[in-house]
Amino acid sequence: MNEEYKRALRKFYKNPSAMFGLILLIFFILIASFAPLLAPPQIPIDPEIENMESMINQLSETKDTSLIDDLTSSFSDYYDFTYGFYLDYADDVKKLEKALKNYQANKNEENLKKLIDELTPLTEDYVLDTSYLENIQNNLNDTKKFNSALKDLENGVKAFLSKATNAEKMKKELDEINSKNSSVDEFLPAAKKYFKDLKSNYIKDLHYDPYLMPIVTYENTPQPPSKEHPFGISNGRDIYYGVVWGTRTGFKIGLIVVITATIIGLFIGSISAYFGGWVDEVLMRITDIFMSIPFMLSAMVLTTVLGTGLDKVMIAMIVFGWMGSARLIRGNILQAKNDQYVLAAKALGVKDSKIIVKHILPNTIFPVLIQASMRIGSMVITAAVLSFLGVGAPQGYADWGSILNYARNWILGGTGGAFEYWYTIVYPGTAMVLFVLAWNLVGDALRDIFDPKLRG
Amino acid sequence: MKDPILKVNNLHTYFNTEDGEVRAVRGVSFEVHEGETLAIVGESGSGKSVTSLSIMRLLDENGRIAEGEILYKGRDISKIPEDDMRHIRGKEIAMIFQEPMTALNPVFTVGDQIIEMIMLHMGMDAKAARQRAIELLRKVGIPEPEKRVDQYPHELSGGMRQRAMIAMALSCNPKVLIADEPTTALDVTIQAQILELMKELQKEYGMAIIFITHDLGVVAEMSDKAAVMYAGKVVEYGDIVSIFKRPKNPYTWGLMQSIPKLNEEVERLMSIPGTVPNPRKFPKGCGFSNRCFLAKEKCKDEMPELIEVEPGHYSRCFYIDELVKEVEKSRVGEK
């Protein structure tokens, strides 16, 4: 096996275009993984938290004991404001949970009444949303809706209780800090830990999405590259940020879509080939139907139906993107099924399942994998086209296609000349071209190395 | 006499095709004992390969064993469930194929494939199995087996691959080895080596070999008994000496005549005129009637029975006596 690896690597090294592709790919992987460092997302931070942070920093520098009191008081204020609420009502919600469980175990009138009795005061105090109660009371006759209302309530209770548990944990830590307020050395590490938890809770609750390109100006026309915004500004957003974080989007779209579509294709194709007969007939006709629908049009229709969003785009691309690999693997398996080593393996008593996994798949899967690795690049183009047409990623999402979409009005240039707004296209466009090129070169090299049919 | 290890009784194998039922094998019977070699001889399309695939139960989906029984150690394996059959394949009855180029999986090392067999049937762990694989490769005459075990099929020559194939088939000490034209695809010197190897291994392991071939030279070299097949039927069956010395079927005789003889100068080598009838429409009477120099009206309408002409020697022909005269005449001429 070692020998084989060495030979594969040697082949790879000797192939300059493969090396170029690999280097490009590694470059993109590095950009994607270090995106938070290359283009740090600006999380909007509560001024109170910023205040606490500066106080902690001051305390660790000056060791001024008077700061301890300030810090503890602002900690407890923040605690009361953010967590206290959950803890105050935790017992009542727990009672509600019990009533809900009772009702689910034994669905009778009496238990339902108890459940509603528990729920009513909580919604009246705005602890839980009134819609929980309304949905239950209004749908008493509709079993399906009633059950889903119960399910919602269960989830709501669970979410509340998990917040309450978190609040309890924070309270414990806060008590610990309060008990240690005599010396700076004891107080500081505890306060730091508390602050860290507090800040991470805050960021978690904020649901901040770093993939959203920050709006840096409300100016409508693109701004040329400057020191602060090295790739310029388009549609009020920083292109540099978009290109860097768009690398992640590119990998996400390419890998998820291609892997899922390939698995679906492999599954359908291999079932079709192995069982043959009417199974084959039905599955292949379904494949034909999918293939005869124009891809771009159907993807657009599906995204419009499902609604915008990157996940919807990916679903559309998977739904209309598995047929190639299904056909490829089917053809390969049909060919390999008649190879003599399959018969030989059967003659020596190997199980059917093992024959598929060990003898047929390894001989047939490489072309599919190579095709998949080449498609990763082209999937990014497809997603970009969808974004360009406005049915792709949501507004402001860091995605190369979206940035190109912003440039739509400026492609022809302005009064200053045809290339006045070149930066709105060149940077995201170059990134995309290189990304696709990298995958294609690597895919080609993989075929040269691994395809058993091309081996010596 | 001991019971035969494998006995095939009146085997019929039919295929369903778009042109209707094809009766590839129409009543074949033979038996082999431990340590014995039976050759099944015949032209392409005579049903010899189908017979071997029937024994292994590896027919294509459209094929079926329509009639007859295959007794392995007295048990009919033509009707047992597929799961039980899988335990017999490889462990009890193994098979090697004509094309050593394609009978090994190109993406695994030779060792991997042998080790797989050993672990599957003998329940050894990977380390012991590897040791045994190396031993087997050495036994089949592959030099430097420690190195070869980690090589891929494309790194071995044709003869080497066939040796590896034999090692694989022998990995679980099968009682019966079916060899489907194992030397046809190899060149002559390698052929001789492989045949020699098989004989040696048979002596050592005491297995029965069913040798499928169209090469009478190989038959004479290798086997104790032969079954000559034509158009899905056995036309002559008996021990090798009596078949070669006293052929009792015009087809066998024709085959022997078409072997070049080194001590004789002839302008043209004798050949049997015509070709094997299409299995889709075998003639009603004797399958060989349209090519036979002895054929009369009767042969076209009636199928001769397999009759015992001397102890242990069977033939299927109406005019054996006339054939014997012909044979004697030509033998006299030779001398």
Side-chain angles (χ1 to χ4, degrees):
Chain A
M1 209 60 197
N2 254 338
E3 194 85 344
E4 214 31 34
Y5 274 132
K6 267 187 212 154
R7 196 168 56 188
L9 281 178
R10 219 178 304 132
K11 260 189 179 172
F12 210 94
Y13 287 139
K14 274 189 191 156
N15 188 341
S17 65
M19 282 312 283
F20 179 64
L22 188 68
I23 289 169
L24 262 184
L25 201 58
I26 290 172
F27 172 69
F28 275 113
I29 290 172
L30 286 179
I31 291 188
S33 38
F34 291 114
L37 293 178
L38 291 169
Q42 283 130 22
I43 303 171
I45 294 285
D46 194 304
E48 211 156 324
I49 291 181
E50 272 176 10
N51 195 18
M52 283 186 241
E53 192 163 17
S54 69
M55 276 201 278
I56 287 181
N57 287 339
Q58 226 175 325
L59 181 66
S60 57
E61 272 170 32
T62 59
K63 315 267 178 195
D64 183 355
T65 36
S66 69
L67 275 170
I68 291 183
D69 287 340
D70 289 352
L71 252 178
T72 33
S73 76
S74 72
F75 276 160
S76 24
D77 283 351
Y78 188 84
Y79 171 83
D80 289 341
F81 181 71
T82 325
Y83 302 108
F85 162 80
Y86 291 106
L87 219 48
D88 291 345
Y89 286 95
D91 289 337
D92 290 338
V93 177
K94 267 182 196 150
K95 268 186 210 156
L96 172 66
E97 191 191 21
K98 209 174 159 196
L100 183 64
K101 270 194 186 138
N102 273 342
Y103 176 69
Q104 276 168 336
N106 190 3
K107 293 196 177 181
N108 58 26
E109 288 286 319
E110 194 190 347
N111 279 346
L112 181 63
K113 199 169 160 295
K114 269 188 199 159
L115 174 67
I116 290 175
D117 282 348
E118 288 289 347
L119 185 56
T120 316
L122 285 172
T123 53
E124 275 166 3
D125 288 352
Y126 301 109
V127 175
L128 289 173
D129 200 272
T130 42
S131 66
Y132 290 128
L133 184 60
E134 281 164 13
N135 281 342
I136 288 179
Q137 280 177 332
N138 295 344
N139 294 315
L140 283 175
N141 297 323
D142 188 336
T143 336
K144 208 172 160 191
K145 277 190 183 167
F146 180 73
N147 282 339
S148 85
L150 275 185
K151 193 93 202 157
D152 284 346
L153 179 63
E154 203 184 330
N155 289 335
V157 168
K158 247 186 217 154
F160 188 95
L161 286 176
S162 84
K163 284 208 167 142
T165 342
N166 192 26
E168 206 167 339
K169 193 183 128 215
M170 294 304 281
K171 186 169 167 52
K172 227 184 246 164
E173 283 184 32
L174 189 63
D175 289 344
E176 204 183 316
I177 292 174
N178 285 334
S179 67
K180 284 178 181 168
N181 60 5
S182 48
S183 90
V184 178
D185 288 336
E186 271 184 31
F187 178 78
L188 198 59
K192 268 187 181 162
K193 184 176 179 291
Y194 181 73
F195 179 73
K196 208 176 121 204
D197 288 347
L198 184 147
K199 194 174 173 185
S200 74
N201 278 340
Y202 169 79
I203 291 172
K204 213 164 77 188
D205 287 346
L206 201 62
H207 294 298
Y208 178 76
D209 187 357
Y211 284 95
L212 286 180
M213 290 185 273
I215 295 178
V216 290
T217 170
Y218 289 98
E219 191 83 33
N220 209 6
T221 46
Q223 307 282 306
S226 62
K227 211 174 170 193
E228 259 173 64
H229 306 292
F231 289 0
I233 296 167
S234 183
N235 204 27
R237 295 174 196 272
D238 185 9
I239 297 179
Y240 172 71
Y241 188 92
V243 169
V244 170
W245 284 84
T247 315
R248 280 194 176 193
T249 315
F251 275 112
K252 212 157 72 174
I253 294 176
L255 292 175
I256 292 177
V257 170
V258 169
I259 289 172
T260 322
T262 305
I263 288 172
I264 294 173
L266 276 182
F267 187 69
I268 290 181
S270 43
I271 285 183
S272 191
Y274 199 77
F275 291 104
W278 65 267
V279 178
D280 182 32
E281 197 65 27
V282 169
L283 288 176
M284 279 302 113
R285 292 306 78 78
I286 291 174
T287 313
D288 283 344
I289 291 170
F290 269 87
M291 284 189 115
S292 59
I293 304 171
F295 172 75
M296 197 52 79
L297 198 69
S298 44
M300 273 173 71
V301 170
L302 196 59
T303 10
T304 324
V305 171
L306 294 172
T308 50
L310 205 64
D311 45 345
K312 311 291 183 345
V313 177
M314 292 201 277
I315 289 173
M317 290 203 291
I318 290 167
V319 168
F320 293 102
W322 54 267
M323 294 83 73
S325 32
R327 278 208 168 175
L328 193 60
I329 194 80
R330 174 178 173 269
N332 286 338
I333 289 182
L334 283 184
Q335 201 181 10
K337 220 166 79 165
N338 293 326
D339 278 351
Q340 221 176 32
Y341 56 81
V342 174
L343 190 66
K346 275 188 193 165
L348 296 172
V350 184
K351 263 189 235 154
D352 269 3
S353 54
K354 207 165 178 193
I355 286 180
I356 300 182
V357 173
K358 201 174 165 186
H359 293 277
I360 295 182
L361 273 184
N363 275 293
T364 51
I365 205 166
F366 276 111
V368 179
L369 294 186
I370 289 150
Q371 186 220 33
S373 74
M374 289 193 176
R375 264 178 41 202
I376 291 176
S378 65
M379 275 302 151
V380 173
I381 294 187
T382 313
V385 171
L386 288 173
S387 292
F388 187 80
L389 293 172
V391 290
Q395 190 54 246
Y397 201 90
D399 166 52
W400 298 331
S402 305
I403 307 175
L404 288 175
N405 183 26
Y406 298 151
R408 192 151 48 165
N409 292 332
W410 315 104
I411 287 175
L412 288 178
T415 46
F419 298 113
E420 195 185 344
Y421 303 118
W422 57 274
Y423 46 86
T424 56
I425 301 169
V426 169
Y427 292 119
T430 312
M432 200 184 307
V433 168
L434 291 181
F435 189 80
V436 177
L437 185 69
W439 279 110
N440 281 358
L441 291 178
V442 168
D444 253 341
L446 286 181
R447 187 195 53 210
D448 291 350
I449 292 166
F450 288 117
D451 195 341
K453 307 260 157 53
L454 291 176
R455 236 186 339 212
Chain B
M1 201 166 165
K2 264 176 79 183
D3 280 341
I5 185 131
L6 184 78
K7 185 172 176 172
V8 173
N9 243 343
N10 194 27
L11 177 76
H12 287 71
T13 303
Y14 299 161
F15 290 90
N16 291 318
T17 68
E18 279 167 18
D19 306 334
E21 203 170 50
V22 172
R23 306 187 164 197
V25 172
R26 311 180 289 167
V28 165
S29 308
F30 56 78
E31 51 182 58
V32 258
H33 292 86
E34 250 171 79
E36 195 179 56
T37 304
L38 167 80
I40 301 181
V41 194
E43 280 171 272
S44 312
S46 59
K48 55 193 194 309
S49 283
V50 173
T51 306
S52 67
L53 290 177
S54 302
I55 296 170
M56 296 301 285
R57 297 252 313 266
L58 286 174
L59 296 164
D60 280 344
E61 274 156 41
N62 60 348
R64 70 197 161 91
I65 297 172
E67 220 186 298
E69 47 185 15
I70 298 161
L71 298 170
Y72 173 73
K73 288 185 175 168
R75 178 180 176 210
D76 186 3
I77 57 168
S78 69
K79 289 171 194 76
I80 60 170
E82 179 60 29
D83 263 357
D84 296 354
M85 190 61 212
R86 215 171 36 237
H87 291 295
I88 290 179
R89 277 184 213 135
K91 191 167 167 57
E92 310 283 339
I93 308 177
M95 186 162 178
I96 51 181
F97 292 87
Q98 181 175 356
E99 294 281 338
M101 305 292 168
T102 54
L104 289 166
N105 189 339
V107 299
F108 292 106
T109 60
V110 176
D112 268 347
Q113 299 182 49
I114 300 177
I115 290 167
E116 181 190 7
M117 298 308 312
I118 298 172
M119 285 170 74
L120 181 71
H121 289 302
M122 317 268 282
M124 282 188 187
D125 62 57
K127 217 175 156 193
R130 189 185 156 83
Q131 214 43 53
R132 184 166 161 77
I134 294 175
E135 234 170 74
L136 280 164
L137 288 178
R138 182 174 295 125
K139 199 153 267 173
V140 296
I142 289 182
E144 299 179 86
E146 294 86 357
K147 197 178 128 209
R148 298 289 177 188
V149 78
D150 289 322
Q151 284 187 333
Y152 287 84
H154 69 262
E155 294 172 279
L156 304 180
S157 68
M160 231 42 125
R161 275 184 236 189
Q162 193 59 287
R163 284 170 194 265
M165 219 27 236
I166 292 173
M168 203 158 130
L170 292 180
S171 57
C172 306
N173 298 336
K175 300 285 179 298
V176 180
L177 180 68
I178 302 178
D180 189 352
E181 309 212 21
T183 57
T184 311
L186 303 173
D187 58 40
V188 186
T189 45
I190 308 293
Q191 255 187 39
Q193 290 173 15
I194 296 281
L195 293 178
E196 198 52 43
L197 171 72
M198 288 183 71
K199 269 203 268 185
E200 268 169 35
L201 292 171
Q202 181 179 33
K203 235 178 251 161
E204 190 174 336
Y205 290 102
M207 67 203 164
I209 297 181
I210 297 178
F211 206 92
I212 293 167
T213 181
H214 59 257
D215 186 341
L216 278 184
V218 172
V219 175
E221 171 91 357
M222 281 293 288
S223 35
D224 308 310
K225 279 197 297 194
V228 181
M229 278 188 73
Y230 191 83
K233 280 183 182 290
V234 173
V235 291
E236 187 164 4
Y237 176 67
D239 68 280
I240 207 78
V241 181
S242 48
I243 287 186
F244 271 84
K245 284 244 166 86
R246 301 177 291 278
K248 291 287 190 292
N249 191 289
Y251 178 60
T252 320
W253 174 234
L255 281 182
M256 283 166 161
Q257 292 263 314
S258 51
I259 305 174
K261 292 181 187 72
L262 293 176
N263 55 2
E264 224 178 292
E265 246 178 74
V266 280
E267 295 249 315
R268 242 181 111 88
L269 194 59
M270 223 238 18
S271 70
I272 307 173
T275 52
V276 184
N278 187 337
R280 288 174 218 289
K281 33 180 189 284
F282 281 138
K284 200 172 100 202
C286 173
F288 192 53
S289 56
N290 59 341
R291 302 170 74 185
C292 181
F293 66 102
L294 289 171
K296 308 215 163 66
E297 270 315 301
K298 191 183 175 192
C299 300
K300 293 208 162 54
D301 300 328
E302 243 178 276
M303 174 59 85
E305 289 301 311
L306 197 62
I307 42 174
E308 194 163 8
V309 282
E310 54 184 323
H313 188 172
Y314 301 81
S315 173
R316 196 188 282 276
C317 186
F318 291 124
Y319 304 106
I320 294 173
D321 298 339
E322 280 157 58
L323 177 72
V324 170
K325 276 181 209 150
E326 280 291 322
V327 173
E328 267 162 19
K329 217 160 64 189
S330 96
R331 292 259 156 99
V332 168
E334 269 172 37
K335 280 161 195 164

